[in-house]
Amino acid sequence: MKKICVLGLGYIGLPTSAILALNGYQVIGIDINKEIVETVNKGKIHINEPKLCNIVSDMVAKKRLVAKTKPEKADIFIISVPTPLNKNKCCDLSFVITAIKSIIPYIEKENIIIIESTIPPHTVEDIIKPIIEKAGFNVGKDIYLAYCPERVLPGRIMDELVNNNRIIGGCTSICAKKAAEIYKSFIKGEILITDAKTAEMTKLIENTFRDVNIALVNELVKICNKLRINVLEVIKLANKHPRVNLHLPGPGVGGHCLAVDPYFIIQKTPYLARIISLAREINSNMPYYIVSQVKQLTKDINKPKIAVFGIAYKGNVDDIRESPALKIIELLKNEGFIVTIYDPYVKTDIIATSTINQSIENADMILLLADHNEFKNINYVKLVKKMRTPIIFDTKNIIKKIDNNFKKIKIINLGNLFTID
Ligand code: SAJ
């Protein structure tokens, strides 16, 4: 049985470890966080991801998955540690570099090393390969190095890990071949072989594509509201064109991918990446637009209280990384609004109220920022009775059912904002 060390037991590393164990590998999951290691070794998980917990508990019980804080000798090493933005909006590679250096004492000839963390183009060739070669190995001859980005969607990771196509970017063609053999053991999608730098750029442009397209509709929101046109109706109709697929506008773009990856392209070619930079700017500014609309909607109310529904960066996940809701809450507080927060998924200190009823008590607005399924099925007519002013500002356009009872509530979305002045 081949042994794999997976470094980083986060949103990607833990599901990957579980799938590899399920497919016949002996997996050692490495994380510097002791609590995560203890949780996994109890057969439990520290993230909210459907279908993951059962596999982890089964694999831990069968001893095919073991978590540890330090790496050890193995046949294969997979690096899936975070690559956050630093304060200059460049990729912070320190976790990747530390992870690579931590395996150096344990690697042996014929080992395969795979990077899954999102990284700027040329990182494998220019930064990672030299570290390995400095330790006396010859990449492509006695050690095999590849970049294999994941493309899974949080909330559907366990299905997408298996069914999505996978890009394998080898430092050499033999490196790619060796890495592909591992993924072939569990992937049902296509295995697409290329070189490392092409794989690095492909990963980045996939998320940049979405970020730019979301910026386009977020800009359209402002244009349409200025011109008194319902943007949501425009998007719906335009998408009936066979070759048009406008994305959905919202309060901004969050998550650890779309809001981060475009900067990895910008840092490499700042003067060339113009649409990419502008899209980032437009999406990052959406919270300011939302707050300006909240101010407009509540201008006649004394000391308005806003009940924010949903602070996760998107629906049905517990992740608040880069969530535009955090910026919106900060701006609202700076403007003197009283803010309560309700999110059934997220457990964090910034949520002082725990129940939906507590959060809307005497509130003047429900500000819907995440499209959690729970928020689609609420009886808003009943709920608003506890509010001081029954305004709902639905930035995700999820409240659809407007029967006669709904007429008593002011429901504003990004399409009918222009009706408020
Ligand atoms: N959003 C919009 N409008 C849309 C779609 C999304 O405002 O039409 C917002 C969401 O609310 C959220 C953000 O964009 O704040 C990102 O959401 P997402 O669902 O587009 O993406 P992520 O970050 O959850 O996952 C993405 C996925 N990328 C693509 O769909 C191309 C996933 O496949 C990647 O693996 C993942 O990034 C990653 O790890 O890179």
Side-chain angles (χ1 to χ4, degrees):
M1 193 186 272
K2 288 241 159 109
K3 184 167 154 189
I4 303 194
C5 270
V6 177
L7 283 86
L9 293 178
Y11 282 87
I12 301 303
L14 184 55
T16 304
S17 301
I19 290 278
L20 287 165
L22 192 64
N23 284 277
Y25 290 96
Q26 173 61 51
V27 181
I28 314 293
I30 316 293
D31 205 291
I32 50 172
N33 183 327
K34 270 191 202 146
E35 280 174 31
I36 293 177
V37 168
E38 281 166 18
T39 306
V40 172
N41 283 333
K42 281 183 203 147
K44 300 201 172 121
I45 59 174
H46 62 289
I47 53 175
N48 187 1
E49 182 60 40
K51 301 184 187 171
L52 176 61
C53 198
N54 284 351
I55 305 179
V56 168
S57 71
D58 186 30
M59 290 301 111
V60 169
K62 291 184 173 134
K63 298 199 168 28
R64 297 233 293 270
L65 171 61
V66 181
K68 297 188 178 176
T69 53
K70 298 250 157 27
E72 56 190 45
K73 284 187 179 184
D75 303 292
I76 301 147
F77 295 87
I78 296 181
I79 312 288
S80 56
V81 293
T83 44
L85 278 181
N86 65 19
K87 59 180 185 329
N88 302 319
K89 300 235 179 282
C90 291
C91 178
D92 174 0
L93 283 171
S94 57
F95 296 107
V96 173
I97 293 171
T98 305
I100 285 289
K101 288 186 174 164
S102 78
I103 62 170
I104 293 285
Y106 306 100
I107 54 177
E108 290 173 339
K109 287 186 176 182
E110 294 304 311
N111 281 175
I112 302 167
I113 302 172
I114 293 169
I115 315 295
E116 288 203 4
S117 308
T118 306
I119 46 178
H122 293 295
T123 301
V124 167
E125 275 292 332
D126 294 353
I127 296 173
I128 296 167
K129 188 176 156 195
I131 298 174
I132 297 165
E133 296 207 319
K134 205 173 151 213
F137 296 97
N138 190 338
V139 168
K141 294 264 172 10
D142 54 20
I143 268 284
Y144 307 103
L145 175 63
Y147 178 61
C148 307
E150 50 71 28
R151 311 158 114 178
V152 289
L153 196 69
R156 295 217 321 250
I157 294 181
M158 301 318 284
D159 293 326
E160 292 210 355
L161 258 185
V162 173
N163 293 313
N164 286 1
N165 303 328
R166 190 87 187 208
I167 299 174
I168 312 285
C171 269
T172 63
S173 54
I174 176 95
C175 291
K177 198 168 156 266
K178 293 271 185 187
E181 275 161 24
I182 300 159
Y183 291 97
K184 270 182 198 155
S185 68
F186 68 93
I187 284 181
K188 292 188 185 141
E190 252 184 280
I191 302 277
L192 306 154
I193 303 275
T194 185
D195 58 42
K197 62 178 187 288
T198 309
E200 289 164 333
M201 184 54 108
T202 306
K203 164 71 190 177
L204 297 178
I205 203 62
E206 289 168 1
N207 285 335
T208 302
F209 169 88
R210 282 176 74 73
D211 194 47
V212 169
N213 277 285
I214 297 165
L216 180 65
V217 283
N218 281 340
E219 183 167 274
L220 193 64
V221 166
K222 296 181 198 168
I223 294 170
C224 282
N225 279 314
K226 189 81 187 162
L227 300 178
R228 309 185 72 78
I229 299 166
N230 187 323
V231 71
L232 299 173
E233 185 75 2
V234 170
I235 293 169
K236 194 169 88 188
L237 295 174
N239 281 343
K240 297 282 178 191
H241 182 290
R243 287 170 296 282
V244 172
N245 178 19
L246 289 170
H247 287 43
L248 296 170
V253 168
H256 53 300
C257 308
L258 272 65
V260 173
D261 296 2
Y263 291 114
F264 297 1
I265 300 179
I266 297 169
Q267 77 175 68
K268 284 292 199 177
T269 49
Y271 301 110
L272 297 175
R274 293 173 59 196
I275 291 181
I276 300 174
S277 300
L278 197 56
R280 274 289 66 239
E281 193 184 313
I282 291 167
N283 288 334
S284 304
N285 282 332
M286 278 312 279
Y288 293 89
Y289 185 72
I290 299 295
V291 171
S292 70
Q293 303 305 316
V294 172
K295 275 169 80 178
Q296 181 69 11
L297 278 161
T298 55
K299 64 179 187 307
D300 299 325
I301 300 170
N302 182 29
K303 292 208 174 105
K305 177 176 166 182
I306 312 295
V308 170
F309 275 24
I311 58 163
Y313 82 89
K314 68 173 186 178
N316 308 324
V317 300
D318 65 347
D319 193 343
I320 56 168
R321 285 177 294 174
E322 314 294 328
S323 173
L326 303 178
K327 185 73 192 171
I328 290 171
I329 291 164
E330 180 197 316
L331 294 173
L332 286 172
K333 286 184 176 166
N334 290 346
E335 292 283 348
F337 287 94
I338 302 163
V339 181
T340 58
I341 303 164
Y342 173 67
D343 192 311
Y345 284 79
V346 180
K347 288 170 196 66
T348 144
D349 296 345
I350 68 162
I351 304 185
T353 50
S354 53
T355 69
I356 194 163
N357 286 332
Q358 283 168 332
S359 73
I360 53 139
E361 188 94 44
N362 289 323
D364 300 291
M365 175 189 285
I366 293 174
L367 177 58
L368 240 155
L369 298 178
D371 44 356
H372 294 320
N373 284 341
E374 282 83 345
F375 296 159
K376 296 177 187 165
N377 305 321
I378 290 175
N379 182 343
Y380 285 100
V381 179
K382 198 168 147 208
L383 195 69
V384 296
K385 288 189 182 139
K386 298 194 179 68
M387 295 173 71
R388 182 167 69 164
T389 323
I391 305 175
I392 302 179
F393 182 8
D394 172 12
T395 68
K396 300 298 278 186
N397 192 29
I398 57 171
I399 305 178
K400 302 263 188 238
K401 222 178 101 196
I402 304 193
D403 59 24
N404 276 341
N405 285 327
F406 272 81
K407 281 191 180 146
K408 292 174 211 140
I409 323 171
K410 195 171 189 174
I411 298 181
I412 302 294
N413 57 33
L414 294 180
N416 65 9
L417 268 172
F418 62 89
T419 61
I420 64 179
D421 46 43

